[in-house]
Amino acid sequence: MAEAKEKRSYETVLAQTENSVTTVTLNRPEKKNAMSPQMHRDMSALLAELRYDDETRVIVITGAGESFCAGQDLKQYFVELDKLPASERDEVKRLSGWRGDGIRNMPKPVVAMVNGWCFGGAFTIITSCDIVIADQEAIFGLSEVNFGFFPGGEVTKVLTEHLQPKHALYYSMTGKPFDGKEAERIGLITKAVPGAELEKETQEVVDSLLEKDPLALQAVKEAWHNSVTAPSPVAHKLAMLIAESVKNKQGGRPGIKQFTDKKYRPGLDSYNWEKS
Ligand code: COA
């Protein structure tokens, strides 16, 4: 087994790479991992680093301690940021985009492992991640209405894409917290599991992603996000362009060749991309 390697060090996040998987831990446990301006700076820089890091094929995002992420830092982001010069404010807001396009456009799978509290602005992180596994007792909440606000930033936007209107409006208008099982029921997350199985379940998902051809995974992801954001014919054309570029990079379609050579059954397995 390869040794775990630390990435560059960051003030508010930890990153450790082991066996091609980088685990990113939001690391302000004393503030329930609320997102401060510094966390936005750190996450933005870290994701830029991981994008080009050949040792990282899958990224897992989780939180230190008993919280995944308590949303934006209500003091530092909502109050203190307003006192900074507009240029600094705008820069932090721009960098906070790691939670949206930063994750969606990452050319590698990003999995969220939700280990506890998950509120407000943290919904942008989980809706952007490709796969979300949560402790069934983790608590989720659209608490904005409770502090006299609305699900700002991209939160309302992502809710309209991910939840049925009657689920999204119920939780954003009542501000009621709900658990991991309910998050799974309404389609906010992929799967809720008992806390004791959270790491094991996440590892199983990660292992299955590691078996796949990284280029094919990138293509699946890009085709998906283009289909969400672009009109259907444009999305289809973009997806075809991506599929063609994958074919060119691989020098043909080794996955289909291995099937016709009877080396594997694609309905049940992944082809051996490392030998292609
Ligand atoms: N912003 C800033 N600080 C936060 C925070 C946030 N979103 N969430 C928690 N903290 C801080 C608390 O102020 C407290 O700091 P202190 O020790 O300096 O007083 C510390 O984290 C621990 O929080 P506390 O409330 O004592 O823990 P708890 O276990 O009793 O409750 C929460 C945890 C997450 C339920 C509660 O802190 C909370 O409701 N936070 C706000 C969540 C929210 O509405 N987020 C949406 C923002 S968009």
Side-chain angles (χ1 to χ4, degrees):
M1 186 181 280
E3 250 183 46
K5 269 199 199 163
E6 297 285 346
K7 294 285 169 210
R8 251 177 66 188
S9 71
Y10 293 92
E11 201 176 312
T12 62
V13 290
L14 300 171
Q16 200 172 52
T17 305
E18 195 172 357
N19 299 326
S20 304
V21 181
T22 295
T23 302
V24 173
T25 307
L26 306 175
N27 192 30
R28 297 182 72 215
E30 72 292 352
K31 298 288 179 193
K32 310 294 174 197
N33 304 321
M35 293 176 285
S36 59
Q38 187 58 41
M39 187 181 283
H40 291 310
R41 292 187 192 99
D42 290 346
M43 279 302 294
S44 192
L46 172 59
L47 291 184
E49 183 186 348
L50 297 183
R51 185 179 186 89
Y52 302 105
D53 178 27
D54 291 339
E55 291 177 356
T56 300
R57 286 186 33 223
V58 176
I59 298 169
V60 175
I61 302 181
T62 191
E66 61 179 9
S67 181
F68 176 69
C69 174
Q72 293 286 15
D73 187 304
L74 291 175
K75 192 161 157 234
Q76 290 193 35
Y77 194 88
F78 277 83
V79 181
E80 292 174 1
L81 200 58
D82 283 344
K83 297 180 194 145
L84 295 181
S87 57
E88 277 182 56
R89 235 174 22 233
D90 288 353
E91 180 64 355
V92 170
K93 289 194 174 159
R94 186 181 69 75
L95 294 176
S96 76
W98 67 267
R99 299 169 299 152
D101 283 342
I103 294 176
R104 286 191 290 266
N105 295 336
M106 177 65 65
K108 326 177 174 195
V110 186
V111 176
M113 182 168 79
V114 181
N115 53 307
W117 306 115
C118 180
F119 286 104
F123 276 45
T124 324
I125 308 176
I126 57 171
T127 50
S128 298
C129 285
D130 305 309
I131 295 173
V132 184
I133 312 294
D135 179 341
Q136 63 192 22
E137 285 174 15
I139 297 293
F140 296 78
L142 287 161
S143 52
E144 290 88 342
V145 71
N146 294 338
F147 58 88
F149 200 59
F150 70 100
E154 273 198 356
V155 181
T156 292
K157 170 84 179 118
V158 296
L159 292 178
T160 63
E161 286 164 3
H162 287 259
L163 299 186
Q164 297 288 339
K166 292 297 177 271
H167 293 149
L169 280 166
Y170 176 74
Y171 285 114
S172 38
M173 295 181 84
T174 63
K176 276 181 190 292
F178 52 95
D179 66 13
K181 278 191 183 159
E182 173 68 352
E184 179 183 321
R185 185 187 76 83
I186 65 177
L188 178 65
I189 64 165
T190 314
K191 194 168 182 186
V193 297
E197 289 166 28
L198 181 62
E199 287 191 16
K200 182 174 145 275
E201 187 73 30
T202 306
Q203 189 60 48
E204 273 175 28
V205 170
V206 166
D207 287 345
S208 127
L209 294 169
L210 287 172
E211 281 169 14
K212 306 290 183 284
D213 177 347
L215 281 175
L217 280 176
Q218 181 181 352
V220 170
K221 201 169 159 169
E222 294 202 21
W224 174 267
H225 291 296
N226 285 323
S227 301
V228 171
T229 52
S232 171
V234 177
H236 183 75
K237 280 213 168 109
L238 284 169
M240 282 310 290
L241 280 176
I242 295 161
E244 286 307 303
S245 87
V246 168
K247 185 170 145 193
N248 292 338
K249 278 193 206 164
Q250 288 171 326
R253 296 229 180 274
I256 293 181
K257 172 137 194 345
Q258 286 178 23
F259 171 61
T260 51
D261 289 348
K262 299 233 173 279
K263 299 262 170 55
Y264 79 116
R265 292 176 295 169
L268 304 177
D269 270 317
S270 172
Y271 82 103
N272 190 342
W273 57 273
E274 284 173 295
K275 289 212 176 132
S276 65

